[in-house]
Amino acid sequence: MEIKIFNKNDIKDVIDIVLHCQNDGTRETVGIENNKDLLQIEEQYINSGGNFWVAKDNGKLAGTIGLIKFNENIGI
């Protein structure tokens, strides 16, 4: 398992895994229109002072986590 900072080449896999997890059958189905931040990861997470990481297992995306800077003392 390796954890790396998000790369633009990961965008399709990131969207696929997030939507897969959100659409697990336990709630109303959502799409990318409900997750527009995923289309702007660099702007929404990284450039604003947070970050976004991907976990890969044998080169395949296994998970993601993002941190958005809310202010100097709080991250979401």
Side-chain angles (χ1 to χ4, degrees):
M1 182 77 64
E2 105 186 289
I3 297 175
K4 295 184 170 188
I5 293 175
F6 169 80
N7 178 298
K8 288 180 183 182
N9 296 330
D10 295 321
I11 190 67
K12 182 186 177 323
D13 292 335
V14 167
I15 290 170
D16 288 348
I17 199 168
V18 169
L19 291 180
H20 174 77
C21 291
Q22 289 180 339
N23 295 311
D24 64 356
T26 62
R27 58 190 147 218
E28 186 176 328
T29 301
V30 297
I32 192 62
E33 64 277 356
N34 303 103
N35 295 278
K36 291 184 180 176
D37 61 311
L38 296 178
L39 298 174
Q40 301 174 347
I41 289 175
E42 288 182 328
E43 296 85 356
Q44 295 288 317
Y45 292 85
I46 300 168
N47 296 345
S48 66
N51 217 327
F52 196 94
W53 298 269
V54 296
K56 293 189 174 186
D57 189 21
N58 292 322
K60 183 178 178 186
L61 191 70
T64 68
I65 189 164
L67 175 68
I68 296 175
K69 180 181 176 183
F70 182 73
N71 64 33
E72 290 302 316
N73 299 310
I74 300 172
I76 302 170

